Amino acid sequence: MNGGVPGPLLRRRLRRVLAVWLALVLLAGLTVATAYIPLGPANMAINVFIAAIKAVLIGVFFMHLAGPYAVPRIVCAVAAVMLAIMFALSGVDYYTRDGRDGNPAAHARPS
């Protein structure tokens, strides 16, 4: 027993977690700050880019997607495919509406 002093590996992990946490907090602050800057359509693109950076940081460091095991990467890939399918289905629903009242177009009924 070393008197409760964490070993060098634990200290290195703690520093890495704190650095990633600080980066996430700064990126969240940057997201809030961009809401007050009138950038027009670029505002959305910048915020989506910042969100993508945050998602990569969380995936790599907290979900261990860069680790040696394939199962977390497979689960993440399946989740991404399911999300893409849901976006595609929502897009199909949106683009097949007639646009008048938000309801699907009425089909002619045979008499």
Side-chain angles (χ1 to χ4, degrees):
M1 194 102 195
N2 58 3
V5 177
L9 181 63
L10 186 60
R11 281 190 297 241
R12 188 171 39 208
R13 280 188 188 163
L14 184 61
R15 275 195 303 256
R16 185 176 68 184
V17 167
L18 288 175
V20 172
W21 177 80
L22 182 63
L24 289 170
V25 168
L26 291 175
L27 287 169
L30 185 61
T31 302
V32 172
T34 59
Y36 295 103
I37 302 171
L39 298 174
N43 210 353
M44 178 73 161
I46 290 170
N47 286 331
V48 168
F49 181 69
I50 293 170
I53 292 171
K54 291 189 289 189
V56 167
L57 284 173
I58 290 170
V60 169
F61 291 104
F62 296 126
M63 295 172 62
H64 307 290
L65 294 180
Y69 302 109
V71 173
R73 289 191 296 272
I74 292 170
V75 169
C76 185
V78 168
V81 168
M82 293 303 294
L83 184 64
I85 289 171
M86 291 297 161
F87 277 128
L89 289 174
S90 296
V92 167
D93 177 54
Y94 178 76
Y95 287 116
T96 56
R97 293 180 184 253
D98 64 352
R100 280 182 271 153
D101 58 359
N103 293 323
H107 297 288
R109 295 186 182 171
S111 40

